[in-house]
PDB file of all heavy atoms in Angstrom:
ATOM      1  N   THR A  31     -30.908  18.993  27.828  1.00 96.00           N
ATOM      2  CA  THR A  31     -30.998  18.996  29.232  1.00 96.00           C
ATOM      3  C   THR A  31     -32.253  19.731  29.737  1.00 96.00           C
ATOM      4  O   THR A  31     -32.897  20.422  29.009  1.00 96.00           O
ATOM      5  CB  THR A  31     -29.805  19.654  29.919  1.00 96.00           C
ATOM      6  OG1 THR A  31     -29.879  21.049  29.499  1.00 96.00           O
ATOM      7  CG2 THR A  31     -28.476  19.219  29.313  1.00 96.00           C
ATOM      8  N   ALA A  32     -32.485  19.354  30.951  1.00 96.00           N
ATOM      9  CA  ALA A  32     -33.802  19.971  31.567  1.00 96.00           C
ATOM     10  C   ALA A  32     -33.670  21.570  31.553  1.00 96.00           C
ATOM     11  O   ALA A  32     -34.613  22.216  31.305  1.00 96.00           O
ATOM     12  CB  ALA A  32     -33.978  19.502  33.069  1.00 96.00           C
ATOM     13  N   GLU A  33     -32.530  22.044  31.768  1.00 96.00           N
ATOM     14  CA  GLU A  33     -32.262  23.426  31.673  1.00 96.00           C
ATOM     15  C   GLU A  33     -32.502  24.028  30.319  1.00 96.00           C
ATOM     16  O   GLU A  33     -33.245  25.040  30.178  1.00 96.00           O
ATOM     17  CB  GLU A  33     -30.863  23.885  32.074  1.00 96.00           C
ATOM     18  CG  GLU A  33     -30.621  23.609  33.707  1.00 96.00           C
ATOM     19  CD  GLU A  33     -30.458  22.122  34.027  1.00 96.00           C
ATOM     20  OE1 GLU A  33     -30.232  21.296  33.056  1.00 96.00           O
ATOM     21  OE2 GLU A  33     -30.524  21.760  35.291  1.00 96.00           O
ATOM     22  N   ILE A  35     -34.553  22.688  28.038  1.00 97.00           N
ATOM     23  CA  ILE A  35     -35.957  22.575  27.843  1.00 97.00           C
ATOM     24  C   ILE A  35     -36.677  23.725  28.378  1.00 97.00           C
ATOM     25  O   ILE A  35     -37.623  24.360  27.871  1.00 97.00           O
ATOM     26  CB  ILE A  35     -36.367  21.159  28.293  1.00 97.00           C
ATOM     27  CG1 ILE A  35     -35.887  20.024  27.496  1.00 97.00           C
ATOM     28  CG2 ILE A  35     -37.950  21.036  28.221  1.00 97.00           C
ATOM     29  CD1 ILE A  35     -36.192  18.746  28.053  1.00 97.00           C
ATOM     30  N   ILE A  36     -36.260  24.058  29.743  1.00 97.00           N
ATOM     31  CA  ILE A  36     -36.976  25.114  30.355  1.00 97.00           C
ATOM     32  C   ILE A  36     -36.755  26.464  29.694  1.00 97.00           C
ATOM     33  O   ILE A  36     -37.774  27.243  29.382  1.00 97.00           O
ATOM     34  CB  ILE A  36     -36.511  25.164  31.754  1.00 97.00           C
ATOM     35  CG1 ILE A  36     -37.018  24.115  32.701  1.00 97.00           C
ATOM     36  CG2 ILE A  36     -36.876  26.602  32.429  1.00 97.00           C
ATOM     37  CD1 ILE A  36     -36.539  24.063  34.075  1.00 97.00           C
ATOM     38  N   VAL A 142     -43.196  28.908  38.061  1.00 96.00           N
ATOM     39  CA  VAL A 142     -42.769  27.573  38.431  1.00 96.00           C
ATOM     40  C   VAL A 142     -41.552  27.159  37.763  1.00 96.00           C
ATOM     41  O   VAL A 142     -40.565  26.581  38.391  1.00 96.00           O
ATOM     42  CB  VAL A 142     -43.948  26.708  38.132  1.00 96.00           C
ATOM     43  CG1 VAL A 142     -43.517  25.133  38.200  1.00 96.00           C
ATOM     44  CG2 VAL A 142     -45.061  26.917  39.093  1.00 96.00           C
ATOM     45  N   LEU A 143     -41.394  27.478  36.402  1.00 97.00           N
ATOM     46  CA  LEU A 143     -40.217  27.045  35.676  1.00 97.00           C
ATOM     47  C   LEU A 143     -38.917  27.864  36.153  1.00 97.00           C
ATOM     48  O   LEU A 143     -37.845  27.299  36.247  1.00 97.00           O
ATOM     49  CB  LEU A 143     -40.376  27.321  34.280  1.00 97.00           C
ATOM     50  CG  LEU A 143     -41.460  26.297  33.574  1.00 97.00           C
ATOM     51  CD1 LEU A 143     -41.737  26.725  32.183  1.00 97.00           C
ATOM     52  CD2 LEU A 143     -40.916  24.870  33.633  1.00 97.00           C
ATOM     53  N   LYS A 144     -39.047  29.169  36.190  1.00 96.00           N
ATOM     54  CA  LYS A 144     -37.967  29.991  36.527  1.00 96.00           C
ATOM     55  C   LYS A 144     -37.416  29.738  37.870  1.00 96.00           C
ATOM     56  O   LYS A 144     -36.125  29.877  38.147  1.00 96.00           O
ATOM     57  CB  LYS A 144     -38.378  31.512  36.459  1.00 96.00           C
ATOM     58  CG  LYS A 144     -38.636  32.046  34.918  1.00 96.00           C
ATOM     59  CD  LYS A 144     -39.039  33.414  34.989  1.00 96.00           C
ATOM     60  CE  LYS A 144     -39.271  33.926  33.592  1.00 96.00           C
ATOM     61  NZ  LYS A 144     -39.735  35.292  33.588  1.00 96.00           N
ATOM     62  N   ASN A 145     -38.182  29.414  38.894  1.00 95.00           N
ATOM     63  CA  ASN A 145     -37.857  29.446  40.350  1.00 95.00           C
ATOM     64  C   ASN A 145     -37.903  27.989  40.866  1.00 95.00           C
ATOM     65  O   ASN A 145     -38.042  27.913  42.056  1.00 95.00           O
ATOM     66  CB  ASN A 145     -38.714  30.401  41.104  1.00 95.00           C
ATOM     67  CG  ASN A 145     -38.616  31.779  40.618  1.00 95.00           C
ATOM     68  OD1 ASN A 145     -37.569  32.256  40.208  1.00 95.00           O
ATOM     69  ND2 ASN A 145     -39.761  32.477  40.632  1.00 95.00           N
ATOM     70  N   ALA A 146     -37.726  27.050  39.995  1.00 95.00           N
ATOM     71  CA  ALA A 146     -37.858  25.579  40.447  1.00 95.00           C
ATOM     72  C   ALA A 146     -36.817  25.256  41.559  1.00 95.00           C
ATOM     73  O   ALA A 146     -35.546  25.677  41.232  1.00 95.00           O
ATOM     74  CB  ALA A 146     -37.710  24.744  39.299  1.00 95.00           C
ATOM     75  N   ALA A 147     -37.187  24.658  42.492  1.00 95.00           N
ATOM     76  CA  ALA A 147     -36.226  24.237  43.594  1.00 95.00           C
ATOM     77  C   ALA A 147     -35.348  23.029  43.057  1.00 95.00           C
ATOM     78  O   ALA A 147     -34.198  22.888  43.363  1.00 95.00           O
ATOM     79  CB  ALA A 147     -36.892  23.836  44.766  1.00 95.00           C
ATOM     80  N   GLN A 148     -36.019  22.236  42.194  1.00 96.00           N
ATOM     81  CA  GLN A 148     -35.337  21.020  41.582  1.00 96.00           C
ATOM     82  C   GLN A 148     -36.071  20.566  40.377  1.00 96.00           C
ATOM     83  O   GLN A 148     -37.211  20.615  40.329  1.00 96.00           O
ATOM     84  CB  GLN A 148     -35.107  19.861  42.596  1.00 96.00           C
ATOM     85  CG  GLN A 148     -34.544  18.585  42.128  1.00 96.00           C
ATOM     86  CD  GLN A 148     -34.538  17.603  43.189  1.00 96.00           C
ATOM     87  OE1 GLN A 148     -34.391  17.786  44.445  1.00 96.00           O
ATOM     88  NE2 GLN A 148     -34.517  16.296  42.740  1.00 96.00           N
ATOM     89  N   VAL A 149     -35.309  20.349  39.285  1.00 96.00           N
ATOM     90  CA  VAL A 149     -35.812  19.892  38.008  1.00 96.00           C
ATOM     91  C   VAL A 149     -35.054  18.572  37.582  1.00 96.00           C
ATOM     92  O   VAL A 149     -33.902  18.526  37.674  1.00 96.00           O
ATOM     93  CB  VAL A 149     -35.746  20.982  36.901  1.00 96.00           C
ATOM     94  CG1 VAL A 149     -36.406  20.466  35.612  1.00 96.00           C
ATOM     95  CG2 VAL A 149     -36.344  22.174  37.350  1.00 96.00           C
ATOM     96  N   SER A 150     -35.757  17.654  37.069  1.00 96.00           N
ATOM     97  CA  SER A 150     -35.174  16.464  36.435  1.00 96.00           C
ATOM     98  C   SER A 150     -36.055  16.170  35.106  1.00 96.00           C
ATOM     99  O   SER A 150     -37.209  16.472  35.037  1.00 96.00           O
ATOM    100  CB  SER A 150     -35.187  15.268  37.394  1.00 96.00           C
ATOM    101  OG  SER A 150     -36.489  14.970  37.819  1.00 96.00           O
ATOM    102  N   SER A 151     -35.219  15.569  34.175  1.00 95.00           N
ATOM    103  CA  SER A 151     -35.905  15.283  32.933  1.00 95.00           C
ATOM    104  C   SER A 151     -36.276  13.694  32.954  1.00 95.00           C
ATOM    105  O   SER A 151     -35.356  12.919  33.294  1.00 95.00           O
ATOM    106  CB  SER A 151     -34.891  15.498  31.771  1.00 95.00           C
ATOM    107  OG  SER A 151     -35.470  15.244  30.503  1.00 95.00           O
ATOM    108  N   LEU A 152     -37.435  13.458  32.705  1.00 95.00           N
ATOM    109  CA  LEU A 152     -37.959  12.091  32.666  1.00 95.00           C
ATOM    110  C   LEU A 152     -37.876  11.417  31.263  1.00 95.00           C
ATOM    111  O   LEU A 152     -37.622  12.291  30.244  1.00 95.00           O
ATOM    112  CB  LEU A 152     -39.400  11.937  33.285  1.00 95.00           C
ATOM    113  CG  LEU A 152     -39.545  12.586  34.636  1.00 95.00           C
ATOM    114  CD1 LEU A 152     -41.024  12.450  35.073  1.00 95.00           C
ATOM    115  CD2 LEU A 152     -38.677  11.922  35.686  1.00 95.00           C
ATOM    116  N   VAL A 164     -40.588  15.407  28.976  1.00 98.00           N
ATOM    117  CA  VAL A 164     -41.281  15.362  30.295  1.00 98.00           C
ATOM    118  C   VAL A 164     -40.436  15.742  31.445  1.00 98.00           C
ATOM    119  O   VAL A 164     -39.271  15.315  31.570  1.00 98.00           O
ATOM    120  CB  VAL A 164     -41.836  13.972  30.674  1.00 98.00           C
ATOM    121  CG1 VAL A 164     -42.708  13.973  31.877  1.00 98.00           C
ATOM    122  CG2 VAL A 164     -42.816  13.409  29.495  1.00 98.00           C
ATOM    123  N   LEU A 165     -40.847  16.743  32.196  1.00 98.00           N
ATOM    124  CA  LEU A 165     -40.046  17.389  33.258  1.00 98.00           C
ATOM    125  C   LEU A 165     -40.873  17.145  34.568  1.00 98.00           C
ATOM    126  O   LEU A 165     -41.931  17.177  34.767  1.00 98.00           O
ATOM    127  CB  LEU A 165     -39.827  18.825  33.111  1.00 98.00           C
ATOM    128  CG  LEU A 165     -39.016  19.360  31.865  1.00 98.00           C
ATOM    129  CD1 LEU A 165     -38.888  20.797  32.008  1.00 98.00           C
ATOM    130  CD2 LEU A 165     -37.696  18.728  31.957  1.00 98.00           C
ATOM    131  N   SER A 166     -39.953  16.723  35.562  1.00 98.00           N
ATOM    132  CA  SER A 166     -40.458  16.615  36.942  1.00 98.00           C
ATOM    133  C   SER A 166     -39.896  17.810  37.775  1.00 98.00           C
ATOM    134  O   SER A 166     -38.590  17.997  37.821  1.00 98.00           O
ATOM    135  CB  SER A 166     -39.983  15.207  37.546  1.00 98.00           C
ATOM    136  OG  SER A 166     -40.454  15.141  38.865  1.00 98.00           O
ATOM    137  N   ILE A 167     -40.751  18.579  38.332  1.00 98.00           N
ATOM    138  CA  ILE A 167     -40.356  19.801  39.036  1.00 98.00           C
ATOM    139  C   ILE A 167     -40.768  19.857  40.476  1.00 98.00           C
ATOM    140  O   ILE A 167     -41.950  19.674  40.765  1.00 98.00           O
ATOM    141  CB  ILE A 167     -40.838  21.073  38.213  1.00 98.00           C
ATOM    142  CG1 ILE A 167     -40.537  21.063  36.724  1.00 98.00           C
ATOM    143  CG2 ILE A 167     -40.469  22.360  38.878  1.00 98.00           C
ATOM    144  CD1 ILE A 167     -41.262  22.023  35.882  1.00 98.00           C
ATOM    145  N   ILE A 168     -39.885  20.035  41.480  1.00 97.00           N
ATOM    146  CA  ILE A 168     -40.170  20.540  42.660  1.00 97.00           C
ATOM    147  C   ILE A 168     -40.177  21.980  42.829  1.00 97.00           C
ATOM    148  O   ILE A 168     -39.206  22.636  42.607  1.00 97.00           O
ATOM    149  CB  ILE A 168     -39.072  19.924  43.693  1.00 97.00           C
ATOM    150  CG1 ILE A 168     -39.211  18.431  43.714  1.00 97.00           C
ATOM    151  CG2 ILE A 168     -39.494  20.355  45.188  1.00 97.00           C
ATOM    152  CD1 ILE A 168     -38.162  17.678  44.586  1.00 97.00           C
ATOM    153  N   PRO A 169     -41.402  22.627  43.039  1.00 97.00           N
ATOM    154  CA  PRO A 169     -41.509  23.973  42.913  1.00 97.00           C
ATOM    155  C   PRO A 169     -40.968  24.741  44.136  1.00 97.00           C
ATOM    156  O   PRO A 169     -40.926  24.153  45.169  1.00 97.00           O
ATOM    157  CB  PRO A 169     -43.000  24.241  42.658  1.00 97.00           C
ATOM    158  CG  PRO A 169     -43.604  23.152  43.543  1.00 97.00           C
ATOM    159  CD  PRO A 169     -42.763  21.958  43.294  1.00 97.00           C
ATOM    160  N   LEU A 209     -45.153  18.765  43.761  1.00 98.00           N
ATOM    161  CA  LEU A 209     -44.497  18.158  42.538  1.00 98.00           C
ATOM    162  C   LEU A 209     -45.270  18.587  41.385  1.00 98.00           C
ATOM    163  O   LEU A 209     -46.571  18.432  41.344  1.00 98.00           O
ATOM    164  CB  LEU A 209     -44.473  16.707  42.666  1.00 98.00           C
ATOM    165  CG  LEU A 209     -43.818  15.918  41.579  1.00 98.00           C
ATOM    166  CD1 LEU A 209     -42.230  16.237  41.477  1.00 98.00           C
ATOM    167  CD2 LEU A 209     -43.866  14.419  41.675  1.00 98.00           C
ATOM    168  N   VAL A 210     -44.639  19.011  40.293  1.00 98.00           N
ATOM    169  CA  VAL A 210     -45.257  19.345  39.021  1.00 98.00           C
ATOM    170  C   VAL A 210     -44.712  18.478  37.957  1.00 98.00           C
ATOM    171  O   VAL A 210     -43.410  18.442  37.783  1.00 98.00           O
ATOM    172  CB  VAL A 210     -45.007  20.943  38.683  1.00 98.00           C
ATOM    173  CG1 VAL A 210     -45.620  21.230  37.311  1.00 98.00           C
ATOM    174  CG2 VAL A 210     -45.600  21.786  39.834  1.00 98.00           C
ATOM    175  N   LEU A 212     -44.646  17.958  33.884  1.00 98.00           N
ATOM    176  CA  LEU A 212     -44.907  18.908  32.699  1.00 98.00           C
ATOM    177  C   LEU A 212     -44.609  18.217  31.373  1.00 98.00           C
ATOM    178  O   LEU A 212     -43.412  17.735  31.258  1.00 98.00           O
ATOM    179  CB  LEU A 212     -44.128  20.228  32.856  1.00 98.00           C
ATOM    180  CG  LEU A 212     -44.219  21.227  31.685  1.00 98.00           C
ATOM    181  CD1 LEU A 212     -45.675  21.599  31.499  1.00 98.00           C
ATOM    182  CD2 LEU A 212     -43.302  22.421  31.897  1.00 98.00           C
TER     183      LEU A 212
END
Side-chain angles (χ1 to χ4, degrees):
T31 64
E33 290 73 17
I35 295 173
I36 286 177
V142 168
L143 291 173
K144 289 178 181 178
N145 303 319
Q148 182 179 324
V149 182
S150 57
S151 183
L152 305 179
V164 185
L165 296 181
S166 177
I167 302 168
I168 297 177
L209 185 65
V210 177
L212 176 62

